[in-house]
């Protein structure tokens, strides 16, 4: 999968805007889809964080504390993806 596709896929965890990562059930389901595909592709936690940062750089929505969002991403994928 191309880099842009990973970034788009992880964006689902943010409701395709700037909502808190995987907070809503639908967003959590989309984050889980990213996780399943990332595991199958051999991605790491660092890859997921990188994709989330790239997504947030261009995301449309209300302003957010990017580091808090990234911490939510780290907590969601911790222990589920290799470091």
């Amino acid at each position: 999968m191309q880099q842009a596709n990973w970034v788009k896929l992880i964006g689902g965890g943010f409701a395709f805007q700037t909502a808190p990562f995987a907070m809503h059930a639908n967003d959590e389901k989309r984050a889980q889809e990213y996780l399943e595909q990332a595991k199958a592709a051999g991605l790491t936690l660092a890859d997921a964080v990188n994709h989330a940062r790239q997504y947030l750089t261009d995301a449309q929505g209300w302003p957010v504390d990017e580091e808090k969002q990234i911490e939510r991403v780290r907590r969601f994928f911790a222990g589920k993806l290799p470091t």
Side-chain angles (χ1 to χ4, degrees), residues 9-20:
L9 187 61
I10 205 166
F14 297 100
F16 298 109
Q17 295 182 357
T18 57

Side-chain angles (χ1 to χ4, degrees), residues 10 14 34 44-56 66-67 70-71 73-75 77 81:
I10 205 166
F14 297 100
Y34 175 95
T44 65
L45 177 59
D47 293 320
V49 166
N50 182 45
H51 294 149
R53 282 192 192 281
Q54 288 179 353
Y55 173 79
L56 289 170
E66 186 175 312
E67 288 310 309
I70 294 302
E71 185 55 35
V73 170
R74 279 192 183 101
R75 282 196 313 264
F77 294 117
L81 289 174

Side-chain angles (χ1 to χ4, degrees), residues 17-30:
Q17 295 182 357
T18 57
F21 188 75
M23 176 77 79
H24 186 276
N26 288 336
D27 303 337
E28 185 175 1
K29 183 178 176 182
R30 290 186 288 258

Side-chain angles (χ1 to χ4, degrees), residues 1-3 5-7 9 32-45 47-48 51 80-82:
M1 185 181 293
Q2 292 180 345
Q3 186 79 355
N5 293 336
W6 286 114
V7 172
L9 187 61
Q32 190 66 34
E33 177 62 28
Y34 175 95
L35 174 61
E36 290 172 18
Q37 290 192 35
K39 285 169 95 174
L43 297 186
T44 65
L45 177 59
D47 293 320
H51 294 149
K80 299 173 187 167
L81 289 174

